[in-house]
Amino acid sequence: MLRSLFLPLKLPINMTPSQAQQEIQVLSKQIDEHNERYYVKHQPTIADTQYDELLKKLMALEEQFPQFKLPTSPSQRVGAKVEGNIPTVAHQNKMLSLDNTYSMEDIKDWVGRVVKGLDGVSPELMLEPKIDGVSCALMYRNGELVLGATRGDGSVGEDVTHNVRTIRSVPLKLKGAAPAVLEIRGEVYMDKEDFAKLNQEREKAGEEIFVNPRNAASGALKLLDSRLTALRHLKFFVHSVGLLDGKNQPLTQGDFLQECRTYGFMVNEHNRICKTFEEIVEFCQQIQQQRQNLDYDVDGIVLKVNEIELQKRLGHTLK
């Protein structure tokens, strides 16, 4: 489903301010729902032309009644431009990198260390595909997106909020009873089909092609003009929480991912809770066989202790 970036704003609209405000709210809700159905649930219910008409009407109303245009409006996803250099921002909690291994024996040893660290308790482990994308942290306050930042060096990243807003699978306003403060962490990526189209277009234009989707996504996040970023059709998968305040903490990683779905985020469906080393091996082999058929690049499997309280007991290393 393609989106027009530059829509005509002038439509004959005869409404009172009160009527316009109400219509803007209705249109915004409808467009947000259609965005979620298409980009998150992959179940579109209207044609592109119908979607574009809704967006066109909303933008025209906001043009005529700018006092009712909100930062979370669907019309605000594209158009921002940063002057000069992209600013940096400090992460409240560090964004740590992952320890790598290429050996099932190393994984077995790690599981043994986890059990030892928990005084003999064998915990459930959540296994998730590691998306080959760009790590990004999204900060929400009172349910509204206020910041999107790259990982950077783990302590300081780049403020790429203007570009994050173009990602249709990133809600500008959370659904449901969201916590007062929530930082979501995940991977920004390009799927294989959009990446192939991008390189075809660049080759025709005589421009240098990108080596892989990750490089294309990373470059898009750092563009100054979000209108150009929107043309890359970036996507976002949630994988962890950075900060949560004002609501009960989820008990497990599985609970957290399910909660993210209720807020309107896209969560990878290829994850599994494993209780034994044999189940871990089986899942890794399954993803290895499936990875070529997935819509996006996967460069590994991430293992996490599922119960969050046990994660806290174990702590973490420098990674």
Side-chain angles (χ1 to χ4, degrees), residues 9 25 34 67 74 84 96 100 103-104 120 130 147 149 171-172 246 249 257 261:
L9 294 178
Q25 292 172 349
H34 288 305
Q67 67 271 34
L96 301 176
N100 294 326
S103 162
M104 295 306 298
K130 183 180 179 298
L147 176 67
L172 300 182
Q249 300 280 336
L257 294 177
R261 287 188 178 94

Side-chain angles (χ1 to χ4, degrees), residues 76-87:
Q76 298 305 292
R77 285 191 176 274
V78 179
K81 186 174 182 180
V82 173
E83 300 295 337
N85 297 321
I86 292 180

Side-chain angles (χ1 to χ4, degrees), residues 154-183:
S155 297
V156 176
E158 293 173 302
D159 182 346
V160 291
T161 310
H162 65 298
N163 287 327
V164 166
R165 286 179 174 274
T166 71
I167 305 174
R168 304 285 177 155
S169 51
V170 170
L172 300 182
K173 187 173 184 179
L174 301 181
K175 296 169 58 180
V181 179
L182 176 66
E183 183 189 83

Side-chain angles (χ1 to χ4, degrees), residues 35 70 141 154 174 197 218 249 265 285 289 295 303 306:
N35 274 331
L70 299 175
R141 295 190 182 278
L174 301 181
K197 290 178 180 177
S218 178
Q249 300 280 336
F265 287 102
Q285 291 174 342
Q289 294 168 359
D295 296 333
L303 287 76
N306 190 37

Side-chain angles (χ1 to χ4, degrees), residues 92-109:
Q92 292 191 41
N93 293 323
K94 279 190 175 183
M95 295 184 69
L96 301 176
S97 58
L98 297 172
D99 273 328
N100 294 326
T101 182
Y102 302 93
S103 162
M104 295 306 298
E105 196 61 35
D106 285 347
I107 294 177
K108 190 173 185 178
D109 291 342

Side-chain angles (χ1 to χ4, degrees), residues 190 194-212 215-217 219-220 223 228-229 231-232:
M190 282 190 73
D194 286 331
F195 174 69
K197 290 178 180 177
L198 173 65
N199 267 349
Q200 289 172 4
E201 293 169 358
R202 292 178 69 86
E203 192 170 22
K204 287 180 182 178
E207 300 174 344
E208 185 178 358
I209 64 173
F210 288 102
V211 176
N212 53 52
N215 286 352
L223 292 172
L228 300 177
T229 303
L231 296 174
R232 301 277 176 95

